[in-house]
Amino acid sequence: MSFPSMPNPDVVIIGAGIIGINCALALQARGKRVLMLDRSGIAVETSSGNAGAFAFPEVEPLATPGIMLKAPKWLLDPLGPLSIPPAYAPKIAPWMLRFWRASWRDRYDASVTAQAALMTHSRRALDRVIADVGGEAFIRREGQLQLFQSPRAFAATERARTRREELGIPFDVLDGPDAIAEIQPGLSPRFTHAIFTPTWMNVTDPALWARHLAAKVLERGAAFEPVTVTGLQRDGAGATVLTERGRVRAPHVVVAAGAWSHKLARDLGDRIPLETERGYNTTFPTASVDIKTHLTFSEHGFVVSRIGDGLRVGGAVELGGLDRPPNYARAQTLLNKAAEFLPGLEKTGGTQWMGYRPSLPDSLPVIGRAAHAPDVVYAFGHGHLGLTQSSGTGDLVAALVDQSGPQFDLKPFRANRF
Ligand SMILES: Cc1cc2nc3c(=O)[nH]c(=O)nc-3n(C[C@H](O)[C@H](O)[C@H](O)COP(=O)(O)OP(=O)(O)OC[C@H]3O[C@@H](n4cnc5c(N)ncnc54)[C@H](O)[C@@H]3O)c2cc1C
């Protein structure tokens, strides 16, 4: 078959994860003919197996003031919530240095402000997307319960709670196991405090949600090619995408290749400190515990969420790069902890998974034009929040391509901010 199946597309999107798919949806809404390219298929990488949360209240970056004092303690435990395989430590050192700088008060404050703006924008864009694609059946509106094992651990959330109050995000503080059990029965009584965020939303299954959106995009006339992109060239007004099956030229190209995006940006002269925070989970097709809401065990770096008729236990941050094999002992560690906290949880019969969160040191994505190729738009690096910010990112990318509103300050998200 000739390549590509769509001749003369207006926009080529590299990457058909949740970000690329939302970019396609928003570009189509502006009348663009869109061609999506992905070597793995539609939403089969990181976007398929995440925890399914629209985490709009999570505006704090990972690099919080004081984090570098806590990190060494975490790093001592090779299966702890944050880990760096020793052989990868020299490779990630420059990123860690930027991460440390991002935790300084001035940068931290700027990141929170920018993240909050993107969250507000994304929340509104998601509402429009849900209405546009008939998506309500994929959405759960059951809130989130964030659990703490000691008054001290709860007290440490004071800054985050103040931020939420300032941003008008409603939440309730629950004091003691009885109050907690009213929201989620069956938890171990060790939790002394919890924060319940009633407006928190989840998808029923992130893979099915992404594929529902992609089906709409294809129904509305977009094309998809399963192909590996090998390079990118600036080409007059537009760009040429090189693939293993031939080249395709377009007036606009969007790079939404998740944790692999920096490799393509390098072809255009942009050196972007994109790393991956590898995350792990175990998914059970049926639920041995009746999960009433999204459960977050912040002190332990993992969550339990309902996925379809089953549940998913996952989290952890492993700064281990794109090439080393998964260490599924990490998924098992999270599951063992979850079973301590939810004593009814059955530990057998699950499927383990690892995904590559695409992450910049300041926890903000890159959304903006390539420095030397203004017709190439970058949309990657959403870290822990790619699902959450996907519709907002799609909207902003479409506006950049179309050179029309919305009024939104993209400076904090530019590629060359480091
Ligand atoms: C354990 C875990 C839990 C998470 N939970 C949540 C959550 O609850 N809420 C939330 O908002 N986010 C969550 N995330 C983060 C979220 O999953 C990611 O931010 C998001 O999936 C990134 O989407 P993406 O489209 O940028 O990347 P991807 O889904 O990885 O898609 C990128 C695509 O680009 C393709 N590609 C790359 N290079 C090339 C190339 N050269 N040629 C062709 N194709 C290429 C890949 O095949 C891939 O399909 C979680 C992540 C993990 C790991």
Side-chain angles (χ1 to χ4, degrees), residues 18-19 38-40 46-47 50-51 53 229 383-388:
I18 195 66
I19 299 295
D38 196 308
R39 62 184 173 211
S40 324
T46 316
S47 300
N50 62 48
V229 173
H384 295 238
L385 297 167
L387 171 66
T388 308

Side-chain angles (χ1 to χ4, degrees), residues 14-20 37-41 43-55 202 227-230 256-261 264 277-281 294 303 314-316 353-358 379-389:
I14 307 171
I18 195 66
I19 299 295
L37 310 177
D38 196 308
R39 62 184 173 211
S40 324
V44 288
E45 293 282 350
T46 316
S47 300
S48 66
N50 62 48
F54 289 112
N202 281 57
V227 71
T228 298
V229 173
T230 53
W260 299 269
S261 299
L264 296 167
E277 295 176 55
R278 293 148 51 117
Y280 291 83
N281 64 37
H294 183 86
V303 304
W353 176 86
M354 185 193 73
Y356 298 93
R357 299 184 190 95
F380 56 80
H382 296 75
H384 295 238
L385 297 167
L387 171 66
T388 308
Q389 298 178 336

Side-chain angles (χ1 to χ4, degrees), residues 139-174:
I139 306 299
R140 286 198 171 119
R141 298 175 191 276
E142 296 169 349
Q144 178 220 25
L145 192 61
Q146 214 181 337
L147 293 142
F148 304 96
Q149 272 177 253
S150 66
R152 195 160 159 235
F154 171 69
T157 63
E158 193 184 345
R159 188 182 51 219
R161 278 181 279 131
T162 305
R163 281 285 182 189
R164 285 188 183 193
E165 273 162 1
E166 285 164 6
L167 294 166
I169 299 166
F171 63 89
D172 300 317
V173 171
L174 308 177

